[in-house]
Amino acid sequence: MTEAQIKLKRTEAVLVELIPQALGAMNDKRLHELNVIEVKCSRGKSDAKVYIDPSDFTEQEKRDYLKQLRKARPIIETHCLKDQGWYRCPKFTFEFDEHLKKTQTIEELFKKISKDKGEE
């Protein structure tokens, strides 16, 4: 791992801690229940994708949360800037992480296939 990659991973780790703190400091109680799973920064740290645990939210709830997060983005970025003393903060893009759900579905399919083969 190069030095640049290490710095990028360190920044991502810091953001995984800071973003929930910023959400917790907001007046909107609905944002307090969101869990940040992962943050992926671009190579130049100008942009960052923030992956949120989808839990059991409906599609409408997800859209509402994303709308609230887009509105709160400047406040979250300012919190990160002030906390770390950075000159510039990545521009956040929020997404619900559906990868976990897909993985669970695939695992269930594999179990079903192995169960079906065991019966034959």
Side-chain angles (χ1 to χ4, degrees), residues 27-116:
N27 292 336
D28 193 344
K29 301 284 185 214
R30 293 173 292 181
L31 294 177
H32 296 191
E33 62 190 55
L34 296 176
N35 295 322
V36 175
I37 296 174
E38 184 179 20
V39 176
K40 288 283 186 190
C41 292
S42 64
R43 191 177 300 173
K45 297 184 211 170
S46 58
D47 296 306
K49 283 193 177 184
V50 180
Y51 294 99
I52 300 166
D53 181 13
S55 298
D56 294 323
F57 298 130
T58 64
E59 288 302 315
Q60 181 61 44
E61 288 174 324
K62 289 179 185 178
R63 282 193 294 274
D64 292 343
Y65 277 120
L66 290 175
K67 185 176 178 183
Q68 292 169 331
L69 287 167
R70 277 193 297 274
K71 288 180 181 178
R73 183 180 53 82
I75 299 166
I76 297 168
E77 290 173 359
T78 302
H79 176 84
C80 294
L81 280 172
K82 288 181 179 177
D83 188 83
Q84 290 298 302
W86 290 338
Y87 176 71
R88 193 168 58 95
C89 183
K91 182 179 177 187
F92 297 131
T93 306
F94 297 95
E95 294 180 10
F96 281 96
D97 188 11
E98 300 298 337
H99 183 73
L100 183 64
K101 194 179 234 180
K102 288 178 185 175
T103 304
Q104 290 172 341
T105 305
I106 290 171
E107 286 177 9
E108 288 173 11
L109 285 172
F110 283 140
K111 286 178 184 176
K112 188 175 181 181
I113 289 170
S114 65
K115 185 178 168 184
D116 290 345

Side-chain angles (χ1 to χ4, degrees), residues 10-25:
R10 190 176 300 139
T11 301
E12 290 172 353
V14 167
L15 289 173
V16 166
E17 292 178 18
L18 285 178
I19 294 170
Q21 287 177 9
L23 291 174

